[in-house]
Amino acid sequence: MEYDEKLARFRQAHLNPFNKQLGPRQHEQGAGEEAPDITSEEALPELPPGEPEFYCPERTMDLGLSEDHFARPVGLFLASDIQQLRQAIQECKQVILELPEHSEKQKDAVVRLIHLRLKLQELKDPSEDEPSIRVLLEHRFCKEKSKSVKQTCDKCNAIIWGLIQTWYTCTGCYYRCHSKCLNLISKPCVRSKVSHQAEYELSICPEAGLDSQDYRCAECRAPISLRGVPSEARQCDYTGQYYCSHCHWNDLAVIPARVVHNWDFEPRKVSRGSMRYLALMVSRPVLRLREINPLLFNYVEELVEIRKLRQDILLMKPYFITCREAMAARLLLQLQDRQHFVENDEMYSVQDLLDAHTGRLGCSLAETHTLFAKHIKLDCERCQAKGFVCELCREGDVLFPFDSHTSVCTDCSAVFHRDCYYDNSTTCPRCARLTLRKQSLFQEPGPDADA
């Protein structure tokens, strides 16, 4: 009898999960046999005094024996077609509403609902038999293989779930969208505009008003208004036009007109199309500062220093072109990111002005200038032999046109000491000799010339 009591207490402390939901009434109605209800506290035998207590509901919960591991989960994943998935989603929504708020079970149900919706989206948007390249409105879309979920569709503003959805990116303007949104695109590729019309709007926020746009978005022509009915009107600081919330995401960009006229680099809100255009144009040298705002060099010292370094680099370029060692070392490739620096000293890009504002451009140009001068004046004997001697004083070291203490004749490119050139005469002696030689060659012969 003592053994039977201990066995009953042991069974009570370690419940069988298969028999958890069976109560005394279910035992009687189940197999037609009368079985004692070992889960009821009344059926427990009385313990003699001094005996240890084996039955502990809290310990049973800690062991996880009271959890229903074999019940049907919320939102069954065995659904294979769209109709079954929709039914499972509705059931999962109903369960979420019935569960207590902020409970762990409700959080698990929400996670299951998300997975069910992703599965439904996968069935609606199959990734098979999708072409790798699509060409639409001058866009060249390529299918992406990335599984990142941090992208946003530029057409529908929805998140691109890279794990289960097919999406494309334009190789020209980096326009991203779902495969199902490709046929809905109405905006041409910005790359074509950059290729055919590479210029900036240099008027600061040229606003014309909503009435000039017929109270519609400047891009998609959706109805907009400043009151937000039916859609909020958002102004682009670059074009001055108004856009809807689908075409204007409050992206920030530096406005070229404000940089050129005010030397203002504060980013301002622009539309998606303007942001792509400015991103593609940022490295294009299309700004001729001397014509747009010549007074800018009087107020920005960095630009004066950069202009002098660019002029010196242009004077070094003939040395490198005619030097075999410099061509083999490819010294001019030091400026391959700014090719226009070895072509002229007038054109600037917005990226050049940004780097000049932060000080990066001046430092990098100074290092390149030092490297080029070292090759010409110290390392290469051929380049040293192409130096000049001041023909006015005929003293001092060999001169080069990019030295800070020299002056260069604009006609014959002869190099002199700056002090000698301005103190003695403003006329180049070499040019004077050439002038006298030409006069002697074209001088008419006298009467005694035949004799």
Side-chain angles (χ1 to χ4, degrees):
M1 184 65 181
E2 182 180 358
Y3 173 78
D4 295 338
E5 292 178 358
K6 290 184 178 180
L7 180 61
R9 289 197 298 270
F10 177 81
R11 288 177 178 176
Q12 178 61 36
H14 299 78
L15 296 178
N16 190 345
F18 292 94
N19 299 331
K20 174 181 177 296
Q21 297 180 351
L22 295 178
R25 297 180 181 177
Q26 294 173 345
H27 276 285
E28 296 176 358
Q29 299 176 0
E33 299 179 357
E34 294 184 1
D37 182 14
I38 61 174
T39 63
S40 176
E41 295 182 358
E42 298 178 357
L44 290 175
E46 296 182 358
L47 295 177
E51 289 291 336
E53 178 83 12
F54 287 98
Y55 176 68
C56 181
E58 296 179 359
R59 185 171 181 178
T60 305
M61 293 296 293
D62 292 339
L63 292 173
L65 298 178
S66 63
E67 185 177 354
D68 188 2
H69 295 277
F70 302 95
R72 179 178 180 273
V74 180
L76 186 60
F77 289 97
L78 299 178
S80 58
D81 58 357
I82 295 179
Q83 187 64 28
Q84 294 180 0
L85 280 173
R86 288 177 176 173
Q87 182 180 357
I89 289 174
Q90 294 299 327
E91 294 179 2
C92 192
K93 288 181 179 180
Q94 187 65 28
V95 172
I96 292 175
L97 295 176
E98 295 176 355
L99 290 173
E101 293 186 1
H102 307 294
S103 62
E104 293 296 331
K105 291 185 178 181
Q106 190 184 46
K107 294 179 181 179
D108 295 340
V110 171
V111 173
R112 294 189 186 100
L113 178 62
I114 293 174
H115 286 289
L116 285 172
R117 286 181 172 175
L118 290 177
K119 184 67 177 178
L120 180 62
Q121 185 66 31
E122 181 180 2
L123 293 179
K124 289 183 177 180
D125 184 26
S127 60
E128 299 179 357
D129 301 331
E130 290 283 353
S132 299
I133 298 177
R134 297 281 298 274
V135 179
L136 295 169
L137 297 176
E138 300 184 8
H139 292 278
R140 183 178 176 84
F141 289 104
C142 291
K143 184 191 294 186
E144 291 290 345
K145 298 180 180 179
S146 175
K147 300 303 182 182
S148 174
V149 297
K150 296 182 180 180
Q151 306 295 340
T152 304
C153 179
D154 288 321
K155 179 59 183 176
C156 64
N157 288 12
I159 296 177
I160 299 176
W161 297 95
L163 294 173
I164 61 174
Q165 290 179 320
T166 306
W167 58 291
Y168 288 82
T169 301
C170 177
T171 58
C173 64
Y174 306 105
Y175 189 98
R176 301 183 184 91
C177 67
H178 298 100
S179 60
K180 61 182 179 181
C181 298
L182 282 178
N183 297 328
L184 304 177
I185 296 175
S186 59
K187 183 69 175 178
C189 182
V190 182
R191 173 72 70 175
S192 60
K193 182 180 178 181
V194 173
S195 302
H196 299 95
Q197 187 183 0
E199 60 183 9
Y200 285 116
E201 173 62 55
L202 294 180
S203 298
I204 298 177
C205 194
E207 181 181 0
L210 274 174
D211 56 342
S212 63
Q213 302 177 200
D214 195 20
Y215 292 89
R216 293 182 178 275
C217 175
E219 183 172 327
C220 68
R221 308 305 298 170
I224 55 176
S225 68
L226 294 177
R227 296 182 178 180
V229 179
S231 179
E232 177 188 3
R234 299 179 179 179
Q235 186 181 27
C236 174
D237 195 83
Y238 173 69
T239 63
Q241 296 178 322
Y242 289 89
Y243 300 81
C244 65
S245 58
H246 289 280
C247 301
H248 195 309
W249 295 5
N250 291 329
D251 297 304
L252 299 177
V254 176
I255 309 302
R258 296 184 181 273
V259 173
V260 172
H261 294 293
N262 300 339
W263 200 243
D264 180 10
F265 292 89
E266 182 181 356
R268 287 175 169 80
K269 296 179 181 180
V270 296
S271 64
R272 295 292 290 178
S274 299
M275 185 195 66
R276 294 192 194 91
Y277 183 78
L278 294 176
L280 294 175
M281 287 283 293
V282 69
S283 300
R284 287 183 172 261
V286 296
L287 297 174
R288 193 183 297 271
L289 292 184
R290 290 183 181 178
E291 296 181 1
I292 301 172
N293 186 9
L295 297 178
L296 194 61
F297 291 91
N298 298 337
Y299 296 96
V300 183
E301 297 180 357
E302 295 87 349
L303 289 180
V304 178
E305 180 183 357
I306 290 171
R307 181 176 60 181
K308 181 61 172 64
L309 291 174
R310 291 183 63 175
Q311 292 174 351
D312 291 347
I313 289 174
L314 290 177
L315 295 174
M316 296 177 184
K317 181 181 176 181
Y319 288 87
F320 297 143
I321 294 177
T322 57
C323 177
R324 185 179 304 174
E325 296 180 2
M327 295 298 291
R330 298 183 177 182
L331 291 179
L332 289 177
L333 289 181
Q334 297 289 332
L335 296 172
Q336 60 181 348
D337 295 336
R338 292 182 169 90
Q339 187 67 28
H340 54 284
F341 279 14
V342 296
E343 296 175 356
N344 58 73
D345 62 338
E346 298 181 353
M347 307 303 293
Y348 291 84
S349 66
V350 174
Q351 188 63 49
D352 296 337
L353 302 181
L354 285 169
D355 294 340
H357 177 65
T358 58
R360 294 175 51 190
L361 181 58
C363 294
S364 62
L365 272 184
E367 294 177 359
T368 304
H369 184 278
T370 303
L371 177 64
F372 287 178
K374 180 175 180 295
H375 171 83
I376 295 174
K377 301 176 69 173
L378 298 177
D379 298 342
C380 181
E381 295 182 356
R382 292 186 179 90
C383 294
Q384 293 179 20
K386 298 174 185 176
F388 293 82
V389 176
C390 180
E391 298 185 18
L392 296 174
C393 67
R394 298 186 180 277
E395 297 178 357
D397 298 332
V398 178
L399 303 179
F400 293 91
F402 50 84
D403 289 334
S404 59
H405 60 283
T406 60
S407 295
V408 181
C409 178
T410 57
D411 296 329
C412 65
S413 300
V415 182
F416 308 94
H417 289 113
R418 180 175 299 174
D419 297 337
C420 297
Y421 188 73
Y422 286 104
D423 291 344
N424 294 281
S425 174
T426 57
T427 304
C428 174
R430 180 177 293 185
C431 293
R433 289 196 304 268
L434 291 175
T435 302
L436 292 175
R437 185 177 299 177
K438 289 180 181 179
Q439 291 178 357
S440 62
L441 290 176
F442 292 98
Q443 187 177 5
E444 295 182 0
D448 299 336
D450 294 339

